[in-house]
Amino acid sequence: MPGAAAPGGPIAAPATLRRPATEAISHGLNTVPAPVLVLGGVLGLQGGAALTTGLYPLVGPAGVVALRLVLAAVLLVALWRPGWRWDSRTWSLALGAGTLIAVHHLSYYEAVARVPLGAATTMEFIGPFALALAGSRRPADLLWAALAATGVVLLSRSGVPMNGAGLLFGLLAGGCWGGYILVGKRLAAHLPDGRGLALAVSWGALLSLPYGILQAGTRLLDPGTLAIAFAVAVLSSVLPYSFQMAALRRLPPGVFGVLTSLEPAVGALIGLSFLGQHLAPQQWTGVAAVALASVGTVGRGTRAA
């Protein structure tokens, strides 16, 4: 019967929704090496983060999250047209991933508003770092993860007193990021294209929108703000999440987690190049340590494959 699903599987989308464009996108992402996709996602996330510096004074952290996720959801739904006829497993994975996305974004931006960016990123990395340790099978895995963690700590050394609430928000973001890697991998395996991602981001947008409205109100509709937010949504959500879903289908969660530790290093370079944020020598040492750990992880993963 057309549109029916096997027991326990997702309900198939109508044939009219299987467009050549989306099939080409899925095929193209699957042909790119998974570590390259992770790096592309990192570049997009940090590039978008640099753009958000102009939005904080206008709409606040919750407003940034709401605009970013709502615009990303609109773009992803328009592209993938996921529909609503899915089984309970698909919905549970999509809603779980979307909830983790929303809570991660809200807590991370609240952390950045209270503590230096490096410290917030350090706390955020605890989630992927814990996955790397939990999933390790060889001593080399622990060494690469420890080296990456050391690099992130060095990057966060700014000498600025830490705000306790900011550190707790960062820790919450780290837990959500680790949980998203696990749930996102299952969602990516369950749906071999971007429909699951569109559902997840849409749910995350619905959860974050009330907080954004409470904090920013009608300022969310300012044309200039929307223009910047659109660029942030593409760079920080649509492209990175699409890349990550494709990479998660092929990478163990621990390896994926360590590879994302490139974010502080890439963020430091983008901050230096575009925002004039200079680093101390010990922080550049952290950049080198994180980069080396990621290269080592890629090499190990390639040999295993």
Side-chain angles (χ1 to χ4, degrees):
M1 179 178 177
I11 297 175
T16 55
L17 299 186
R18 300 195 188 102
R19 295 172 294 162
T22 55
E23 291 180 358
I25 292 172
S26 296
H27 176 73
L29 290 175
N30 289 332
T31 59
V32 178
V36 175
L37 289 173
V38 176
L39 178 57
V42 167
L43 289 170
L45 284 167
Q46 293 306 309
L51 288 178
T52 59
T53 57
L55 291 178
Y56 276 108
L58 302 175
V59 295
V64 171
V65 173
L67 285 174
R68 169 181 167 178
L69 289 182
V70 167
L71 292 173
V74 170
L75 292 172
L76 287 169
V77 169
L79 176 63
W80 293 105
R81 300 180 188 177
W84 305 106
R85 297 180 58 207
W86 299 102
D87 67 330
S88 59
R89 175 168 173 76
T90 302
W91 277 116
S92 64
L93 290 173
L95 296 183
T99 301
L100 289 167
I101 287 173
V103 178
H104 168 269
H105 286 15
L106 290 168
S107 56
Y108 179 71
Y109 284 125
E110 290 291 347
V112 171
R114 290 170 170 81
V115 298
L117 180 61
T121 305
T122 299
M123 301 303 291
E124 183 197 28
F125 181 59
I126 288 177
F129 179 59
L131 281 180
L133 291 179
S136 64
R137 295 293 181 269
R138 301 177 182 177
D141 296 335
L142 299 177
L143 290 176
W144 292 127
L147 181 60
T150 301
V152 173
V153 170
L154 288 172
L155 276 169
S156 70
R157 298 294 295 274
S158 62
V160 178
M162 294 293 111
N163 177 281
L167 293 178
L168 288 177
F169 275 121
L171 183 61
L172 176 59
C176 290
W177 182 230
Y180 172 76
I181 292 174
L182 294 176
V183 177
K185 181 173 179 62
R186 294 178 182 177
L187 180 61
H190 190 61
L191 289 177
D193 54 30
R195 289 172 295 169
L197 177 62
L199 292 173
V201 174
S202 297
W203 176 244
L206 289 175
L207 291 179
S208 65
L209 186 57
Y211 297 98
I213 293 175
L214 284 174
Q215 189 169 87
T218 57
R219 296 194 304 274
L220 294 174
L221 301 178
D222 178 77
T225 299
L226 286 172
I228 300 175
F230 181 83
V232 171
V234 173
L235 283 174
S236 292
S237 294
V238 176
L239 294 179
Y241 291 159
S242 299
F243 292 170
Q244 289 167 357
M245 279 291 177
L248 279 168
R249 294 187 185 99
R250 290 175 276 161
L251 288 176
V255 174
F256 180 90
V258 174
L259 285 174
T260 57
S261 68
L262 274 171
E263 283 195 35
V266 173
L269 294 173
I270 289 178
L272 175 64
S273 302
F274 298 101
L275 302 177
Q277 298 175 344
H278 296 277
L279 298 179
Q282 66 182 8
Q283 293 173 316
W284 283 116
T285 303
V287 171
V290 171
L292 180 60
S294 297
V295 169
T297 303
V298 172
R300 187 191 67 79
T302 301
R303 289 192 298 272

